[in-house]
């Protein structure tokens, strides 16, 4: 309780500072957002002020059972960026071809500037575990910390970097990166975090028809590059590889090969006593869970033979002495101009538990009745039983509604990794200013989760009024946002809309403008992602709709393939 009072107290003080400075700075855009979600285990709201050369924000709510509050003020000049309050500090290395974002929430004073040919970022204050979501950002359990990141360009193709972090223990990692060509890069990294060593080497190549990413990492069993549990990203170890080949001749196909190993840090568990503690019956001793290496192998092939699309995938995962092999085969073919059928077969084997297997057969028929209305029927046969589900999508002047069934691979359930779930997505525009969104999705553990949020923005301009220019072309807008399980945007994600592929920007967003509202089939083309890593889809709508009204983007959740 005292921890919650402490963090909220500091958050309120920072918030008052932001709000007192805002009128002086004459904010140009005020953005208010809020929501609740079982995916992020959070609920709360954020207020942001955007202006010429500055940004400030205030947030409050609950995340994972913690009461949070935080605020920040950021000033941007042509040469430097200054931050007071909360900020993210990125500890990624050039050899991180498969790792997720290694970020910390820092609270204090920070600066990012350029000194000669070096880019320098410094911070002084405290670090805290990341306890944020799209709805609330805050901090808990502040620990004094200081950090310096420096990257120096020795030539157009060669750069070196230093990462120094000092908190509960000292971390120092040096890196070098060489890019002899635009689509070819080599990198090495080495250093230590506390008493844990770290060394890595990587190579990444991107070609029009081939992509290759390979790395080898040697690290201590308890290595954590920031030396604190605040960094929740996985540390990959040993050999890791991702290779993709795309055929340019008919029949067109995409072949993908993946191998990944990552380190699951050890932990200490304190059992809960089921009896009164006394001298004769002392409390249970803590149980030490040792660190372990988990692995994933995947081979997939996607073929396009005229109007028929075929896909086959084989998965092998291992963790804590258990091993699983799974197969997935799917075929999609149009029946008429407005209807298509998709058949999928899934089978998995639990290798070290007597070879027990689970299989399911799924058939889905979709039909587009009009440009605004489509319906679907799904039949799932598994375990000797058949289930039937109905769905569809509706696009109207106030928003869109879609209901569909999806089968996802949940690697954390080796006994039955393929799971079918009902997916709901509702988007509405209220009074032309507020966007309301409600959706369901499947979490990493296979549990059906929900997200509900609202967002509104108001601009204030002191410029003279001018006549607005109206454009007749592209009045209907389709918006997509691709994020990972932590809500971080995924850049270069590929969205296939009936043969037309679009890619997301650095904010994870893709926008398509059309002359009139319409529905599009949606497929997340994970084999086409631009960052070279292997992804699998946690949640995605089967259809996307464009509309003339402003609507919240359809959210697609993906994760880097891992068991």
């Amino acid at each position: 309780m005292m921890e919650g009072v402490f963090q909220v107290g500091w958050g309120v003080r920072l918030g008052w500072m932001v709000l007192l400075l805002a009128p002086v700075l004459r904010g140009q855009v005020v953005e208010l957002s809020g929501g609740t979600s079982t995916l992020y285990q959070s609920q709360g709201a954020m207020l942001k002020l955007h202006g010429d050369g500055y940004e400030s924000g205030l947030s409050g709510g609950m995340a994972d059972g913690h009461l949070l509050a935080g605020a920040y003020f950021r000033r941007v000049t042509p040469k430097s960026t200054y931050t007071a309050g909360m900020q993210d500090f990125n500890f990624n290395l050039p050899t991180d071809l498969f790792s997720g974002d290694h970020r910390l929430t820092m609270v204090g004073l920070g600066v990012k500037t350029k000194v000669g040919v070096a880019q320098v970022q410094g911070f002084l204050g405290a670090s805290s575990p990341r306890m944020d979501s799209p709805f609330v950002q805050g901090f808990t359990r502040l620990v004094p910390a200081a950090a310096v990141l420096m990257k120096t360009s020795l030539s157009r193709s060669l750069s070196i970097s230093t990462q120094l972090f000092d908190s509960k223990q000292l971390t120092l990692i040096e890196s070098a990166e060489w890019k002899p060509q635009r689509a070819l890069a080599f990198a090495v990294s080495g250093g230590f975090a506390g008493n844990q060593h770290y060394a890595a080497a990587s190579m990444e190549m991107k070609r029009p028809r081939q992509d290759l990413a390979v790395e080898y990492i040697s690290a201590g069993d308890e290595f954590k590059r920031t030396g604190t549990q605040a960094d929740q990203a996985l540390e990959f170890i040993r050999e890791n590889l991702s290779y993709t080949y795309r055929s340019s001749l008919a029949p067109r196909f995409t072949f993908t090969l993946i191998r990944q190993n990552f380190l699951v840090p050890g932990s200490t568990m304190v059992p809960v006593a089921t009896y009164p503690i006394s001298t004769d019956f002392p409390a249970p001793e803590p149980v030490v869970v040792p660190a372990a290496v988990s692995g994933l192998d995947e081979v997939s092939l996607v073929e396009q033979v005229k109007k028929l699309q075929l896909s086959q995938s084989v998965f092998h995962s291992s963790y804590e002495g258990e091993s699983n092999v799974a197969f997935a085969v799917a075929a999609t073919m149009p029946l008429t101009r407005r209807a298509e059928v998709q058949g999928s077969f899934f089978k998995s084997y639990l290798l070290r538990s007597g070879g027990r297997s689970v299989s399911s057969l799924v058939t889905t028929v979709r039909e587009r009745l009009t440009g605004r209305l489509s319906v679907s029927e799904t039949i799932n046969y598994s375990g000797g039983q058949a289930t039937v589900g109905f769905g569809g999508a509706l696009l109207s002047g106030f928003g869109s509604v879609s209901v569909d069934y999806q089968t996802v691979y949940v690697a954390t359930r080796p006994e039955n990794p393929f799971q079918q779930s009902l997916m709901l997505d509702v988007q509405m525009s209220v009074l032309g200013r507020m966007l309301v969104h409600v959706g369901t999705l499947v979490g990493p553990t296979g549990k059906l989760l929900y997200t509900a949020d609202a967002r509104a923005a108001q601009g204030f301009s002191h410029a003279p009024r001018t006549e607005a220019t109206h454009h007749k072309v592209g009045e209907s807008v389709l918006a997509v946002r691709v994020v990972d399980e932590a809500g971080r945007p995924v850049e270069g994600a590929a969205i296939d809309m009936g043969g037309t592929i679009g890619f997301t920007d650095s904010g994870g967003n893709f926008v398509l403008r059309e002359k009139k509202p319409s529905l599009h089939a949606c497929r997340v083309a994970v084999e086409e992602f631009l960052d070279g890593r292997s992804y699998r889809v946690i949640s995605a709508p089967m259809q996307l709709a464009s509309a003339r009204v402003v609507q919240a983007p359809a959210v697609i959740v993906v994760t880097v393939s891992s068991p």
Side-chain angles (χ1 to χ4, degrees):
M1 182 65 184
M2 289 301 295
E3 176 186 305
V5 173
F6 172 77
Q7 63 203 32
V8 171
W10 272 104
V12 170
R13 294 187 185 115
L14 291 172
W16 276 113
M17 178 183 71
V18 171
L19 293 180
L20 288 174
L21 287 173
V24 178
L25 299 172
R26 297 184 179 182
Q28 295 177 350
V29 177
V30 178
E31 180 183 355
L32 178 63
S33 62
T36 179
S37 172
T38 54
L39 171 64
Y40 303 107
Q41 292 293 317
S42 68
Q43 50 274 327
M46 288 191 292
L47 173 66
K48 292 184 179 180
L49 308 175
H50 305 269
D52 185 13
Y54 79 91
E55 178 183 311
S56 58
L58 173 66
S59 177
M62 298 283 294
D64 199 23
H66 295 270
L67 184 62
L68 302 179
Y72 69 91
F73 172 77
R74 183 173 298 116
R75 176 65 177 170
V76 180
T77 67
K79 293 184 178 181
S80 305
T81 300
Y82 305 92
T83 303
M86 290 181 54
Q87 71 177 65
D88 282 341
F89 227 67
N90 193 316
F91 288 89
N92 287 338
L93 301 171
T95 49
D96 289 336
L97 302 185
F98 299 89
S99 303
D101 264 349
H102 292 270
R103 295 188 297 166
L104 286 178
T105 295
M106 314 289 273
V107 183
L109 299 176
V111 60
K112 185 176 182 180
T113 187
K114 189 172 183 180
V115 181
V117 295
Q119 295 180 347
V120 181
Q121 185 176 5
F123 170 84
L124 181 62
S127 66
S128 172
R130 285 192 64 84
M131 298 293 296
D132 63 354
S133 74
F135 318 122
V136 58
Q137 294 180 347
F139 49 86
T140 63
R141 300 190 302 275
L142 294 178
V143 178
V148 175
L149 307 181
M150 183 170 62
K151 181 177 181 180
T152 304
S153 298
L154 302 180
S155 67
R156 282 189 172 184
S157 59
L158 180 62
S159 64
I160 58 174
S161 59
T162 300
Q163 293 190 349
L164 176 64
F165 178 78
D166 188 12
S167 183
K168 290 184 176 180
Q169 64 183 39
L170 181 65
T171 297
L172 176 61
I173 299 179
E174 301 280 354
S175 303
E177 185 177 24
W178 179 46
K179 293 184 177 181
Q181 302 176 17
R182 183 177 181 181
L184 181 63
F186 301 88
V188 292
S189 299
F192 62 88
N195 60 352
Q196 301 290 310
H197 77 278
Y198 182 85
S202 67
M203 189 272 282
E204 184 176 23
M205 178 189 70
K206 293 185 179 181
R207 294 289 187 266
R209 290 194 299 166
Q210 299 183 73
D211 293 332
L212 174 64
V214 58
E215 70 178 4
Y216 188 86
I217 301 171
S218 174
D221 292 341
E222 298 294 337
F223 175 80
K224 203 72 173 175
R225 68 187 60 186
T226 59
T228 172
Q229 293 300 318
D231 179 8
Q232 300 296 327
L234 292 174
E235 292 287 356
F236 280 71
I237 196 170
R238 299 178 183 174
E239 72 279 1
N240 296 277
L241 178 143
S242 175
Y243 174 73
T244 300
Y245 177 82
R246 294 176 288 272
S247 170
S248 60
L249 302 176
R252 299 186 62 182
F253 68 89
T254 300
F255 172 79
T256 304
L257 174 65
I258 296 167
R259 180 172 178 80
Q260 293 182 350
N261 295 282
F262 63 87
L263 185 65
V264 181
S267 61
T268 301
M269 302 176 59
V270 180
V272 178
T274 57
Y275 51 84
I277 298 176
S278 64
T279 304
D280 297 329
F281 298 95
E285 293 291 331
V287 178
V288 178
V289 180
V293 175
S294 185
L296 171 71
D297 301 308
E298 177 184 345
V299 179
S300 64
L301 180 66
V302 179
E303 303 170 87
Q304 187 73 41
V305 183
K306 294 184 178 180
K307 295 183 179 181
L308 177 64
Q309 184 182 79
L310 301 172
S311 65
Q312 308 94 39
S313 299
V314 180
F315 305 89
H316 172 256
S317 60
S318 60
Y319 178 59
E320 290 187 338
E322 191 56 83
S323 184
N324 170 274
V325 172
F327 305 88
V329 180
T332 305
M333 182 179 68
L335 298 176
T336 66
R337 291 183 58 188
R338 294 179 175 270
E340 70 173 17
V341 60
Q342 181 183 62
S344 305
F345 177 73
F346 307 94
K347 193 175 186 68
S348 66
Y349 297 88
L350 202 60
L351 298 182
R352 300 183 184 178
S353 297
R356 184 164 57 89
S357 65
V358 178
S359 62
S360 62
L361 178 65
V362 181
T363 302
T364 301
V365 178
R366 300 184 185 89
E367 183 177 5
R368 188 176 61 181
L369 302 180
T370 69
R372 294 173 176 262
L373 177 64
S374 67
V375 295
S376 65
E377 179 181 3
T378 300
I379 302 175
N380 183 7
Y381 183 80
S382 179
Q385 295 183 342
T387 58
V388 180
F390 298 91
L394 172 65
L395 173 66
S396 67
F398 64 86
S400 63
V401 179
S402 67
V403 180
D404 211 337
Y405 287 86
Q406 293 184 17
T407 300
V408 296
Y409 179 81
V410 184
T412 54
R413 291 186 174 182
E415 72 283 356
N416 187 13
F418 294 108
Q419 178 176 326
Q420 189 177 48
S421 301
L422 176 65
M423 312 305 293
L424 169 69
D425 189 87
V426 179
Q427 302 182 55
M428 297 178 60
S429 176
V430 180
L431 302 178
R433 292 183 178 274
M434 179 178 292
L435 306 177
V436 179
H437 172 251
V438 178
T440 61
L441 47 87
V442 179
T445 61
K447 184 179 180 181
L448 188 66
L449 307 173
Y450 76 89
T451 294
D453 61 274
R455 187 179 306 273
Q458 176 65 54
F460 299 93
S461 175
H462 302 289
R465 297 184 61 180
T466 59
E467 293 295 327
T469 302
H470 299 278
H471 301 277
K472 295 298 183 182
V473 179
E475 291 183 346
S476 297
V477 178
L478 180 153
V480 180
R481 178 172 170 80
V482 182
V483 300
D484 62 13
E485 311 106 304
R488 296 184 292 260
V490 177
E491 181 179 3
I495 311 299
D496 186 345
M497 296 169 293
T500 300
I501 294 183
F503 296 92
T504 58
D505 58 19
S506 59
N509 299 303
F510 169 73
V511 177
L512 174 68
R513 294 186 177 273
E514 302 179 301
K515 292 184 178 180
K516 59 181 181 179
S518 59
L519 287 172
H520 299 272
C522 173
R523 183 180 74 89
V524 184
V526 292
E527 72 279 0
E528 302 284 351
F529 278 34
L530 299 180
D531 65 359
R533 293 189 287 177
S534 174
Y535 288 86
R536 58 184 176 84
V537 179
I538 294 179
S539 174
M542 297 299 294
Q543 293 180 318
L544 297 172
S546 61
R548 288 192 175 95
V549 298
V550 179
Q551 58 180 350
V555 177
I556 295 174
V557 182
V558 298
T559 182
V560 176
S561 293
S562 58

